[in-house]
Amino acid sequence: MTIDPSTTRALSQRLALEQSKQRLPSIAAGIVRDGVIVWSDAVGTLDGRPGGPASTTDTQYRIGSISKTFVAVEVMRLRDEGRLDLGDSIGTHLPEVPIAQVTIAQLLTHTSGLQAETDGEWWERTPGDSWDALLASGTRLRATPGTGFHYSNVGYAVLGELVARLRDQPWQDAVRAGLLEPLGMTRTTTRPVSPAAPGLAVHPLADLVHVEPEHDAVSMAPAGQLWSTVEDLARWAAFLGGRTGDVLKPETLKEMLRPIAVNDVAGAPWTGAHGLGWQTWNVEGRRYAGHGGSMPGFLADLRVDVESGDGIVLMTNATSGLGKATTELLSLFAEKEPVPPKPWTADATQQSSLDLVGPWFWGTYEFRLTLAPDGQLRLGTPGEGRGARFKPGGDGWIGLDGYYTGEPLIVERDASGHAIRLVLASFVFTRTPYDPGAEIPGGIDPAGWH
């Protein structure tokens, strides 16, 4: 895809404004559509000085907590292989941990109640230590597991060890073999490989920079060790946008993006949540997914519009802060290069389910059942009340939304083959309110409607 030159100019201008306004030594970004980079640019010098080495889209930056998404996907791959269950207590696989009752799902969603950071020195700025040393330093719960959101870097150190234990190799080797190599992410590594940006701190009151330290975090590495480039991380954005290839089942990715733990501030409306390893956002009715990253001297962001698949990656070598560049660049792109609507076409495969459409009554409440172009049934309006979508599955259909997620919808027919009842989670729907020709649990008053 080729975008209009005016769009390219507008995006590059916005990126340059971010570098100047936020006083960033360098910044690099890329936008993905249909699985490929359609725009990318880099502004500034790696050392923040005039004439210094320029940043490019092949410059490595540390991506911080975006590393967690790779660990999470590898955990889900293990689940799909039958090696673990998300409901397993972590002690089932790592019997030495002092938080044995915490589940894998709780660790993935930051609902384990586990402490946020280690008890030792500031782990992001000091050399790391072994798994045994991490456990010996104290690994404690700060809240009752499953009762709320509490971001935990230590939790992802535990998940990294889980991957290592089940794969029988270091977590980074498992991620490289299972994810990075199949996706062509050859410039994503656990330590910097030239050309790479140094981590810098910018003085808040002067135009001076300070070099931040960089160490191997060892046991804490799964929480934020990876380095990547715009070109590489754009492949991960394409993956998140649905281009999972043979790496992950599409339905598993959808499962990971379901909001589970709300990350809210008391008294304010929430817009952000965590799923199984991914952050999700609900902004003005649009759903986004991705993750942010922060390590000494670095900030990174990855965000994808779940509906369109458009995505953005952005990285800088400073911790002085980013403004709204990520969302504004993606919004600017969507405004100037709108996604063409998918052309409508007839679908002859719907013929076999045509007799299901129309009104159905749950007691006296009317629902309209329709067939969607994606082969699904829609009962009412999904997202409103008990409206939901259903996909074919088992002996009928399986719920995809809200109250009916995972619940079976069974179509019952009379001797002539006409659909007369829908049974959904034991609820009965009929063509007319309490249809006298259908069996209604609890029976029908002999007086009927009177």
Side-chain angles (χ1 to χ4, degrees):
M1 173 186 173
T2 302
I3 64 176
D4 192 274
S6 66
T7 303
T8 298
R9 289 193 297 271
L11 293 170
S12 293
Q13 171 66 18
R14 179 63 186 86
L15 188 68
L17 177 64
E18 192 72 7
Q19 188 270 344
S20 177
K21 184 178 179 181
Q22 299 295 330
R23 303 168 63 234
L24 306 173
S26 69
I27 187 170
I31 288 178
V32 173
R33 174 171 285 179
D34 295 331
V36 298
I37 296 180
V38 294
W39 168 83
S40 62
D41 201 359
V43 182
T45 58
L46 301 186
D47 59 8
R49 303 184 183 282
S55 173
T56 74
T57 57
D58 188 48
T59 300
Q60 273 194 339
Y61 292 80
R62 200 168 183 179
I63 62 174
S65 289
I66 297 175
S67 305
K68 293 180 174 72
T69 64
F70 294 87
V71 175
V73 169
E74 189 60 25
V75 170
M76 296 303 290
R77 280 163 42 84
L78 285 163
R79 192 284 306 272
D80 287 352
E81 293 169 17
R83 305 285 299 280
L84 59 83
D85 188 274
L86 297 185
D88 289 347
S89 62
I90 191 62
T92 303
H93 303 280
L94 305 177
E96 71 273 23
V97 297
I99 51 161
Q101 75 274 33
V102 167
T103 70
I104 295 172
Q106 289 168 344
L107 290 167
L108 286 169
T109 58
H110 297 284
T111 59
S112 68
L114 187 60
Q115 64 192 76
E117 312 295 348
T118 64
D119 284 343
E121 294 184 335
W122 188 350
W123 70 269
E124 296 172 331
R125 303 187 88 254
T126 55
D129 212 334
S130 68
W131 168 248
D132 289 340
L134 175 63
L135 293 184
S137 71
T139 306
R140 302 175 178 85
L141 297 179
R142 304 298 193 206
T144 302
T147 61
F149 175 81
H150 181 64
Y151 195 89
S152 177
N153 282 301
V154 178
Y156 269 77
V158 174
L159 289 172
E161 179 63 20
L162 172 68
V163 169
R165 197 74 58 89
L166 294 183
R167 289 292 187 211
D168 196 26
Q169 61 183 165
W171 72 272
Q172 62 266 34
D173 292 345
V175 165
R176 183 182 305 112
L179 307 179
L180 301 180
E181 290 178 356
L183 294 174
M185 298 178 65
T186 59
R187 288 278 288 145
T188 300
T189 57
T190 51
R191 299 299 295 280
V193 177
S194 183
L200 300 176
V202 178
H203 197 290
L205 304 176
D207 293 331
L208 301 171
V209 297
H210 187 286
V211 178
E212 293 276 19
E214 185 273 330
H215 304 284
D216 186 349
V218 192
S219 62
M220 287 295 293
Q225 185 78 18
L226 292 178
W227 293 68
S228 193
T229 68
V230 165
E231 294 177 4
D232 252 29
L233 203 57
R235 290 183 171 90
W236 196 233
F239 172 92
L240 179 57
R243 306 291 176 128
T244 56
D246 296 328
V247 171
L248 192 70
K249 298 176 182 178
E251 56 268 29
T252 300
L253 177 62
K254 290 181 180 179
E255 180 185 0
M256 296 185 76
L257 301 186
R258 187 180 303 127
I260 294 174
V262 173
N263 180 14
D264 65 346
V265 177
W270 75 272
T271 57
H274 266 73
L276 293 166
W278 295 95
Q279 291 177 272
T280 61
W281 298 271
N282 185 8
V283 182
E284 298 179 351
R286 293 194 73 84
R287 189 68 59 87
Y288 297 87
H291 214 288
S294 172
M295 289 296 283
F298 295 97
L299 291 172
D301 204 3
L302 182 157
R303 189 170 297 210
V304 168
D305 183 319
V306 175
E307 181 179 347
S308 70
D310 287 351
I312 183 169
V313 297
L314 185 149
M315 293 175 281
T316 183
N317 63 327
T319 47
S320 48
L322 287 170
K324 299 180 179 179
T326 304
T327 55
E328 290 185 0
L329 281 166
L330 194 56
S331 296
L332 179 62
F333 174 69
E335 176 186 342
K336 289 183 168 293
E337 305 283 342
V339 177
K342 185 178 180 180
W344 178 88
T345 57
D347 183 1
T349 63
Q350 293 186 348
Q351 180 68 37
S352 60
S353 302
L354 187 59
D355 66 329
L356 300 181
V357 303
W360 289 88
F361 289 86
W362 175 61
T364 59
Y365 194 90
E366 180 180 356
F367 284 84
R368 187 165 294 273
L369 197 65
T370 60
L371 289 167
D374 51 13
Q376 299 171 352
L377 283 178
R378 294 186 182 180
L379 183 68
T381 302
E384 294 184 8
R386 291 191 178 179
R389 297 168 302 143
F390 296 82
K391 67 176 182 179
D395 295 329
W397 306 77
I398 301 296
L400 298 174
D401 302 296
Y403 190 86
Y404 294 123
T405 299
E407 298 290 348
L409 171 66
I410 305 299
V411 179
E412 295 185 356
R413 301 177 183 275
D414 61 17
S416 62
H418 294 110
I420 58 170
R421 287 200 334 164
L422 305 179
V423 180
L424 174 56
S426 86
F427 297 137
V428 170
F429 294 72
T430 54
R431 282 297 192 181
T432 60
Y434 294 134
D435 182 357
E439 181 181 345
I440 307 296
I444 296 177
D445 191 306
W449 293 98
H450 58 281

